[in-house]
Amino acid sequence: MNNGRQLGFGCMRLPLTDNEDQTSIDIEQMEHMVDSFLKQGFTYFDTAYMYHMGMSEGALGKALTARHPRDTFTVATKLPMMSLKAESDQERIFSEQLQRCGVDYFDYYLLHNLNARNYENAQRFNSIDFLLRKKAEGKIKHLGFSFHDNAKLLDGILSSHPEFEFVQLQINYLDWEDDGIQSRKCYETARKHNKPVIVMEPVKGGKLAAVPERVESLFTSYAPDMSMASWAIRFAAGLEGVMTVLSGMSDTSQLDDNTGYMSSFEPLNSEEHALIQEAVSIMKESSEIPCTACQYCVEECPQNIAIPSYFALYNAEMQADRKGFSPQKAYYNNYIKTYGKASDCIACRQCETLCPQHIEIVDYLKKVAYTFERD
């Protein structure tokens, strides 16, 4: 495996022609971004079966694999543990992924979103044995898993399955000491087992690219030309043992920014680390819902509630300094013409078992309903 530090192209938040439609991927803009990414020497592309409502892998096939020699890039995708209903699903899905991505093999293949529940499914469906067979057949070069749970479970998985070659972890400066996400503890566990780390959510779903004004002033006063996202990605990329930092880039400007500072990467110095800690203190004062809009929660919602969209509207409403008309409420009223209302929640808590951020979704939906459904 390539153990050198690099930037990975995350295909979870691709450019869209219609921002309200996750399937409307702008292939033309994506092609331009892919070409620029490769031209600057970066090679790692990360997708998944469920991203963009099942359209991400196919978009990668069109924009990348159909247009560039196979030896100029590496592709990572994932077995959707949350979608498996029977052991036989795995062969069907794997074959479909090869076809969608337009490849004969995957450079990196992961069990997607391992947590306590999905790890049980992996054992029940013999998923690890299945993927080891695919690796023996040459269909997988390197086998790993993405992980959203506590460090104790991670230690148990890596102790029981040393055949895993790498781990993909949520790491960013805001979650580093978070008791729920346990970024630092999970990172240290992976390092204890000598596993290279791929970083996901370094910008926390864009939250660390659009920081509070006080944080932005803090960073720009020190480095006026550096973007807010660069602070977050450099924090993650500077950790020992990190082989790739994924960034979901939604337009060419984001790609240009990321490739600009990562082409000549410099880790954070002591002064910058101190500023990061100050920024964390400021942001922790906020009462916003820490949602990254990953969409995992909506997969099995029996009420078809647009949870991430409602949380984004709620966060914006809480930050707004206005009285009277609320544009957020107007947007909310538009959403509930198509989706279930927040008050339609039946508290089944399936969403909470899938949430990588360990958000108490049911409780927050009550707040959303109180905020937007009152007359």
Side-chain angles (χ1 to χ4, degrees):
M1 283 199 297
N2 178 6
N3 290 316
R5 184 181 294 111
Q6 64 167 305
L7 177 70
F9 194 127
C11 298
M12 186 180 184
R13 298 179 176 91
L14 295 169
L16 302 172
T17 57
D18 178 357
N19 289 331
E20 300 301 319
D21 180 3
Q22 284 293 306
T23 67
S24 67
I25 299 170
D26 187 340
I27 296 296
E28 184 177 352
Q29 185 176 180
M30 185 179 175
E31 288 178 353
H32 176 75
M33 294 169 67
V34 163
D35 294 350
S36 176
F37 191 75
L38 291 171
K39 185 177 181 179
Q40 296 179 75
F42 300 102
T43 61
Y44 193 101
F45 293 84
D46 172 89
T47 184
Y49 189 75
M50 61 180 289
Y51 290 172
H52 281 275
M53 301 182 70
M55 301 297 288
S56 175
E57 290 174 328
L60 189 67
K62 294 176 183 177
L64 173 67
T65 67
R67 302 174 55 250
H68 293 276
R70 185 64 180 90
D71 61 354
T72 62
F73 58 82
T74 54
V75 171
T77 195
K78 311 169 187 77
L79 185 66
M81 304 309 302
M82 59 287 285
S83 300
L84 297 182
K85 305 301 180 186
E87 188 169 346
S88 59
D89 288 340
Q90 298 175 132
E91 184 68 55
R92 172 184 58 80
I93 289 173
F94 190 86
S95 297
E96 186 179 350
Q97 289 178 301
L98 288 171
Q99 184 176 14
R100 282 179 174 183
C101 292
V103 295
D104 296 323
Y105 66 89
F106 295 111
D107 302 275
Y108 300 89
Y109 197 87
L110 302 84
L111 276 74
H112 197 176
N113 188 20
L114 275 200
N115 51 27
R117 173 187 174 184
N118 288 337
Y119 184 47
E120 289 179 3
N121 283 343
Q123 294 173 306
R124 179 155 55 102
F125 296 134
N126 299 306
S127 300
I128 299 172
D129 288 340
F130 169 76
L131 295 181
L132 287 173
R133 289 197 300 273
K134 291 301 178 185
K135 186 179 179 188
E137 294 170 7
K139 300 295 185 182
I140 296 171
K141 300 300 181 184
H142 302 290
L143 180 61
F145 61 93
S146 62
F147 185 78
H148 291 290
D149 213 311
N150 61 63
K152 182 178 179 180
L153 177 62
L154 178 60
D155 187 52
I157 294 173
L158 292 176
S159 296
S160 300
H161 297 283
E163 59 268 31
F164 284 120
E165 299 171 77
F166 65 96
V167 184
Q168 185 162 305
L169 299 173
Q170 176 170 318
I171 294 176
N172 57 68
Y173 65 73
L174 192 60
D175 294 331
W176 188 241
E177 298 292 352
D178 186 274
D179 289 337
I181 297 171
Q182 298 190 359
S183 271
R184 177 180 58 78
K185 291 180 180 178
C186 287
Y187 164 76
E188 290 174 350
T189 300
R191 297 307 298 144
K192 183 183 80 170
H193 288 270
N194 200 32
K195 303 298 182 183
V197 172
I198 295 174
V199 173
M200 58 183 161
E201 299 290 359
V203 193
K204 200 170 174 64
K207 181 181 179 70
L208 302 183
V211 295
E213 186 176 336
R214 286 173 60 198
V215 175
E216 185 172 354
S217 298
L218 184 73
F219 287 155
T220 54
S221 64
Y222 180 85
D225 297 329
M226 296 300 292
S227 67
M228 298 302 103
S230 71
W231 287 83
I233 292 178
R234 288 174 60 221
F235 171 86
L239 296 168
E240 186 67 31
V242 168
M243 62 177 254
T244 301
V245 178
L246 302 175
S247 179
M249 295 171 276
S250 302
D251 56 47
T252 302
S253 64
Q254 292 178 6
L255 182 137
D256 290 343
D257 178 48
N258 285 342
T259 54
Y261 58 81
M262 287 298 286
S263 292
S264 54
F265 174 77
E266 293 183 11
L268 298 174
N269 59 37
S270 58
E271 287 181 276
E272 290 170 320
H273 273 292
L275 290 173
I276 288 281
Q277 292 306 310
E278 190 174 347
V280 170
S281 297
I282 294 171
M283 283 188 276
K284 288 294 186 181
E285 296 172 2
S286 170
S287 61
E288 295 177 8
I289 307 172
C291 175
T292 66
C294 68
Q295 303 287 328
Y296 292 177
C297 58
V298 302
E299 287 294 301
E300 298 184 23
C301 178
Q303 301 298 90
N304 191 32
I305 300 172
I307 298 168
S309 298
Y310 294 172
F311 284 176
L313 293 175
Y314 178 85
N315 283 340
E317 184 73 1
M318 293 302 100
Q319 292 175 345
D321 183 18
R322 66 170 63 86
K323 297 179 181 179
F325 174 73
S326 165
Q328 278 73 239
K329 186 170 183 177
Y331 279 116
Y332 180 82
N333 288 334
N334 287 334
Y335 270 110
I336 61 176
K337 295 174 183 176
T338 304
Y339 300 96
K341 297 185 294 185
S343 61
D344 291 337
C345 174
I346 59 174
C348 67
R349 299 192 186 275
Q350 292 186 76
C351 54
E352 293 184 358
T353 67
L354 296 171
C355 178
Q357 313 305 322
H358 308 285
I359 298 170
E360 295 178 347
I361 294 173
V362 172
D363 292 339
Y364 277 119
L365 283 175
K366 293 177 182 177
K367 293 185 178 182
V368 171
Y370 179 80
T371 301
F372 293 126
E373 294 181 25
R374 290 178 296 166
D375 292 332

